């Protein structure tokens, strides 16, 4: 699995932990689109970059992180064929994959603790899309 990951300054520290987890524990390849420090940057740029990696088929899935997860998820969702889901619990992670076939996971570094974030990442990547009635609904999302 190839995963694109990006964040703003607020998400930098947890992005680094997630990246290590993806590589060391899940044995995924990671494309890190930045940012590379805690110096202030604009989150939309990184949401767009991750979204494009997934939309263009360079990455299988993506992860975006900002302070709340809200802004960067909105930015990622502006990219065609992206279904970014902001998850604050493992239940959100599971349902976003089962019912919505989310292809980008959005996280809030300032609102969700690191332990929970890693649990969310694990559940999100280990949960499959159920298809069936959900597939018809996904088609309705895409205009």
């Amino acid at each position: 699995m190839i995963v694109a990951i990006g964040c703003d300054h607020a998400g930098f520290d947890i992005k680094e932990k997630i990246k290590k987890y993806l590589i060391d524990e899940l044995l995924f390849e990671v494309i890190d689109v930045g940012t590379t420090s805690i110096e202030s940057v604009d989150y939309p740029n990184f949401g767009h970059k991750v979204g494009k990696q997934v939309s263009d088929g360079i990455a299988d899935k993506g992860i975006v992180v900002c302070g709340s997860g809200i802004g960067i998820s909105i930015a990622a969702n502006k990219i065609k064929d992206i279904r970014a889901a902001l998850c604050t619990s493992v239940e959100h992670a599971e349902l976003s994959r089962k019912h919505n076939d989310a292809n980008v996971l959005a996280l809030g570094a300032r609102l969700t603790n690191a332990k929970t974030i890693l649990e969310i990442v694990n559940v999100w990547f280990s949960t499959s899309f159920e298809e069936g009635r959900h597939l018809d609904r996904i088609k309705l999302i895409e205009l």
Side-chain angles (χ1 to χ4, degrees):
M1 167 102 39
I2 301 172
V3 179
I5 190 168
C7 66
D8 71 355
H9 52 282
F12 175 72
D13 290 335
I14 193 64
K15 179 200 70 161
E16 293 299 304
K17 290 177 183 167
I18 295 167
K19 187 167 67 169
K20 181 173 175 29
Y21 180 76
L22 293 173
I23 294 168
D24 295 347
E25 300 297 324
L26 299 182
L27 306 177
F28 291 166
E29 182 179 334
V30 173
I31 300 168
D32 186 344
V33 302
T35 191
T36 58
S37 74
I38 59 169
E39 185 176 327
S40 184
V41 294
D42 298 318
Y43 63 80
N45 296 326
F46 301 96
H48 295 157
K49 286 180 184 182
V50 169
K52 285 290 289 171
Q53 292 284 311
V54 176
S55 179
D56 291 347
I58 297 164
D60 301 302
K61 300 258 187 304
I63 298 176
V64 292
V65 188
C66 71
S68 68
I70 297 168
I72 204 162
S73 68
I74 292 170
N77 276 316
K78 294 296 183 181
I79 305 301
K80 184 178 178 352
D81 299 324
I82 295 305
R83 291 175 306 282
L86 172 57
C87 297
T88 60
S89 69
V90 294
E91 293 83 5
H92 282 152
E94 182 178 15
L95 290 172
S96 75
R97 290 289 306 127
K98 278 184 175 181
H99 294 183
N100 308 115
D101 197 21
N103 53 11
V104 173
L105 171 61
L107 299 161
R110 293 180 176 151
L111 301 178
T112 308
N113 68 60
K115 180 179 182 280
T116 301
I117 284 176
L118 293 179
E119 291 170 356
I120 288 168
V121 168
N122 187 53
V123 168
W124 196 78
F125 281 105
S126 64
T127 303
S128 299
F129 180 46
E130 288 182 343
E131 298 190 27
R133 70 184 190 276
H134 304 295
L135 184 57
D136 294 333
R137 293 172 183 155
I138 298 257
K139 290 177 184 174
L140 290 171
I141 292 171
E142 299 169 3
L143 299 175

